[in-house]
Amino acid sequence: LSSAGKRLIPFGDLAGPPPAVTDQAFVTLATDDVYCQGALVLGQSLRNHKTSRKLTVLITPEISSGMRSVLRSVFDEVIQVDVLDSADSVHLALMQRPELGVTFTKLRCWTLTQFSKCVFMDADTLVLCNVDELFDREEFSAAPDSGWPDCFNSGVFVFRPSLKTYNLLLQFAAEHGSFDGGDQGLLNSFFSNWATADIGKHLPFLYNLSSSAVYTYVPAFNHFGRDAKVVHFLGATKPWNYKYNLQTKRVMQDDTTSGSFHQLSFLALWWNIYSASILPLLEKLQKMEESE
Ligand code: UDP
Ligand code: MN
């Protein structure tokens, strides 16, 4: 009876993974080969958790050809864009604010109009589970910044590619600049009603858990942390700046990590993916380049 009943469910046990959604993508950015390491681990973590969406990485001209071919083995699309700085229409405004820097290149993601909806993720993020449900959200959805929760953190956000929005963002950048010198200040000023308008556009903090914020509210982390979905290694020291012992599979501690067990375990997770899936690709590339 039970097996007959099962057959009534269309494609029941044989369903397999959900069909791929080709007009939606996770998007990240890398402007140099070092940040590519982060992008690769992020992309691999999305693959490991069987995303049904496309994986796209925006790169800038200085990315090496070897790194491009490694990126192509993890991402569906590797798209070159120009760095948003002096060569762009916001040139003059940027010249007055030289510290705005390369994170403005992130704005290029709005030009990906081959997709109807995307989720941008910084190259220093890592998914801990499938997060495809983020595509149920609307532009502009993001999680609160741990330093100033009325601002969103721009490391993870849901957006709709649109040349109209892109041009408005560039115009806004030229007119107003960015209060923090990076993309986050600009985006917070542009989507200025985020804090108050629509709670549906507030992603839970679990979708952009800053690894360093964990220790500012330990009881909350102990209570909710097991449900973390995305870790964000924000700040100056990135996972790839640590030393990792491939034999013991341990991240070497220094003064900034000592005592922060969870931060260390997130770092170890990043390094696990890097050593298991990304290093072999980079080593293969190196061998090929040596034999040329
Ligand atoms: N980024 C990049 N090259 C840089 C700096 C930043 O490609 O030199 C990209 C990368 O995707 C990175 C994002 O911009 O994750 C935001 O910068 P970062 O993560 O360093 O800022 P934080 O999250 O620490 O504020
Ligand atoms: Mn970041």
Side-chain angles (χ1 to χ4, degrees):
L1 252 178
S2 63
S3 67
K6 256 185 193 163
R7 258 179 246 124
L8 291 174
I9 303 166
F11 312 118
D13 293 341
L14 299 171
V21 181
T22 55
D23 71 334
Q24 299 183 342
F26 285 99
V27 179
T28 190
L29 164 71
T31 65
D32 58 38
D33 281 19
V34 174
Y35 270 93
C36 283
Q37 300 176 94
L40 285 164
V41 170
L42 166 65
Q44 187 63 46
S45 73
L46 286 159
R47 290 255 178 260
N48 290 350
H49 295 291
K50 306 204 183 319
T51 181
S52 61
R53 269 51 173 202
K54 294 284 184 194
L55 300 188
T56 297
V57 58
L58 299 180
I59 58 165
T60 51
E62 77 164 82
I63 305 298
S64 67
S65 62
M67 190 56 92
R68 288 168 194 241
S69 69
V70 174
L71 287 169
R72 276 193 291 272
S73 64
V74 172
F75 289 86
D76 297 300
E77 283 191 77
V78 180
I79 298 175
Q80 181 171 304
V81 296
D82 283 324
V83 172
L84 256 181
D85 67 4
S86 53
D88 201 87
S89 58
V90 287
H91 177 190
L92 288 174
L94 286 172
M95 288 307 277
Q96 288 161 3
R97 299 287 306 277
E99 78 281 9
L100 287 185
V102 293
T103 64
F104 259 46
T105 312
K106 211 186 261 191
L107 305 180
R108 299 274 193 205
C109 69
W110 266 273
T111 66
L112 297 171
T113 51
Q114 64 270 47
F115 302 115
S116 63
K117 196 191 277 186
C118 296
V119 173
F120 182 90
M121 300 186 75
D122 267 9
D124 60 343
T125 62
L126 175 66
V127 306
L128 306 176
C129 58
N130 184 296
V131 292
D132 288 356
E133 69 274 12
L134 283 172
F135 290 89
D136 296 341
R137 306 271 178 162
E138 256 313 320
E139 177 172 280
F140 181 96
S141 295
D145 186 82
S146 60
W148 192 269
D150 283 347
C151 287
F152 55 80
N153 181 279
S154 62
V156 177
F157 60 86
V158 183
F159 70 102
R160 281 194 182 274
S162 148
L163 292 182
K164 187 176 164 220
T165 309
Y166 175 68
N167 286 317
L168 287 172
L169 278 162
L170 290 193
Q171 197 184 329
F172 193 92
E175 283 169 16
H176 306 282
S178 162
F179 69 78
D180 70 0
D183 65 291
Q184 180 161 312
L186 173 74
L187 290 171
N188 270 279
S189 300
F190 189 82
F191 295 104
S192 61
N193 68 358
W194 173 85
T196 52
D198 180 358
I199 195 68
K201 293 180 179 176
H202 285 226
L203 301 179
F205 189 58
L206 295 170
Y207 286 95
N208 188 347
L209 182 74
S210 101
S211 58
S212 53
V214 159
Y215 272 76
T216 62
Y217 194 3
V218 176
F221 182 78
N222 290 341
H223 191 66
F224 298 111
R226 75 185 69 227
D227 296 323
K229 294 170 191 294
V230 179
V231 177
H232 185 181
F233 298 97
L234 65 82
T237 313
K238 300 304 185 195
W240 50 87
N241 297 130
Y242 289 88
K243 288 201 172 68
Y244 181 74
N245 186 320
L246 287 167
Q247 266 71 49
T248 62
K249 303 197 172 189
R250 276 171 191 275
V251 176
M252 319 263 215
Q253 287 194 49
D254 64 11
D255 292 346
T256 55
T257 45
S258 61
S260 113
F261 169 76
H262 292 290
Q263 201 175 339
L264 267 181
S265 69
F266 290 137
L267 277 172
L269 193 61
W270 188 95
W271 272 100
N272 277 345
I273 298 173
Y274 185 76
S275 57
S277 304
I278 307 305
L279 257 186
L281 299 175
L282 295 172
E283 284 166 356
K284 203 167 94 186
L285 169 78
Q286 207 173 9
K287 282 204 190 98
M288 276 165 56
E289 284 178 347
E290 279 165 12
S291 67
E292 267 166 20

